[in-house]
Amino acid sequence: MDKKSLKYDKTDPLSIEEYAQKLIGKTFNDVIEDYYIEESMNSAAEPESVYKIANTIEKNSNKGKGNLGQIIEEHYFYYKPNIDSNPDFSEAGVELKVTPYKINKNGSKSAKERLVITMIDFMNVYKEEFDKSGLWNKAKLMLLIYYLYNQNLISKFDYRIDYAKLFSPPKEDIEVMKHDFDVIIQKIKDGKAHELSEGDTLYLGACPKASTSKDRRRQPFNYTPAKPRAFAFKNSYMTYVLNNYIIPGKNTYENIVSKEEAYNLEEYVTNRIRRYKGKTVDELCELFELDYVKKPKSIQSLIVYRILGIKGNQAEEFVKANVVVKTIRITKTNKIKENMSFPNFKFKEIIKEDWDDSEFGNYLRETRFLFVVFKENANGELVLMGSQFWNIPYDDLENEVRLVWEKTKSVIENELEIKVNDKGIRFTNLPKQSENRVSHVRPHARNAADTYELPDGRLFTKQCFWLNNTYIYEQLKDELKFDQN
DNA sequence: GCATGATCATGC
DNA sequence: GCATGATCATGC
């Protein structure tokens, strides 16, 4: 098609959006078909060449989902994908993103993946400022085209486009993203590009982006090669964008900070919690009018949300950033009472996984934690000590946890050994706490009869990965463990 | 006192 | 009914 006859004004974002919205309800197959019809009406195109295009697309279709975006670019907007740092519609300053969403079992909708914006060029990015960065050049105005991911469809060309909308991050989010950007840049300047992790930051993450697991890049301040990474809006952030900007609906979350205070969210949160340092759980309950006679198990977590000004237990910033609040109790003898549990795994699923893309590995890679620490005083009362944001250090995850995970997989694959003592208590050969500094596997179920199926058909009590209490203790800052007075 | 297995309790 | 966070019970 001739450039003059484009059906939209490529210099005008609103015109591009309006044209994109005609995609709603179409599958990628429809888009290709429409293109063929258009081309065949145009006498310049031989029917043969049309089939050639179809063939090429089909051949490339297994190489990744990137080419769903390419179909929209070439066969709907009629332009070739660019490879420079300019937005796709450079004259309008609009970056095109074609991205999947999914409908969950409970009917809610979420982004299926993080939104990758642009590769991180370790050797040069540290010289950039956020406002003028290649990242922001692309991310400040995006046309988001969402299609519904559906596991049951064999061909991804049958996926249906449901939403098309321009999106710019709101001001308060940009402040958080600037800080995220600074955190990532600082790590590169510190010669730690190889230790970057998505859990380091809140909305904007440094996500792995390698064609193979061995792929490595140079970094400017250290000889250790680093995994290639890209700037990406986290999955949690994109789920929020989907449900609050793309699909019209009501925002049900409460904010922690006002727009003016957004830049260093973490500092704000830890300072606010620190104000209540030294108060007992009972005192805090009284202060926030919580029922401390009945004291539900979750009382400490409720206290944290009240301190942050949240009435319920859903803070918007934490939902967007995938921050998980964990309360920790330290005993008089300076030990953490309990190990930290995580969601159960299914025996038949874990044996199909690879560590690099495993559920538990990804969970730890992508989650940022807020530890809120209480310590027992001489009277046995729990006293608030403060809080700390944390995500698992790269080496602990990729070495220690990896070992535990791989042993778990192999034990389950090669038939789990179950020995029963005379009391009917069962012991297995899954990785124990004593075997690893960081992590272990233990039952986590309603009771012994609460089971999942093993690959060999036996039913066995649900298990999960735990982080060792001794390890968590080691990770806490001194000010949270010991009274400085 | 700690490691390991087992289970409780709340909220959705 | 289940996931998740929290805790108990036992034996070495």
Side-chain angles (χ1 to χ4, degrees), chain A residues 61 63-73 98 147 156:
Chain A
S61 70
K63 285 192 183 161
K65 53 239 149 181
N67 54 55
L68 285 182
Q70 205 176 323
I71 286 171
I72 300 299
E73 291 178 317
V98 178
Y147 60 90
K156 62 187 178 193

Side-chain angles (χ1 to χ4, degrees), chain A residues 175-236:
Chain A
E175 290 304 305
V176 174
M177 289 170 187
K178 276 185 187 170
H179 189 261
D180 289 340
F181 183 83
D182 291 348
V183 168
I184 293 168
I185 298 300
Q186 192 56 49
K187 219 159 170 180
I188 296 169
K189 284 183 176 169
D190 289 343
K192 291 182 175 170
H194 57 295
E195 291 177 11
L196 278 168
S197 163
E198 232 172 327
D200 290 344
T201 49
L202 296 172
Y203 302 164
L204 178 71
C207 78
K209 193 92 179 69
S211 43
T212 71
S213 60
K214 298 243 149 69
D215 201 356
R216 293 291 184 276
R217 298 275 163 91
R218 280 173 67 206
Q219 58 171 312
F221 303 109
N222 192 326
Y223 289 115
T224 313
K227 274 186 192 164
R229 287 182 185 271
F231 287 114
F233 289 161
K234 288 189 181 181
N235 193 326
S236 49

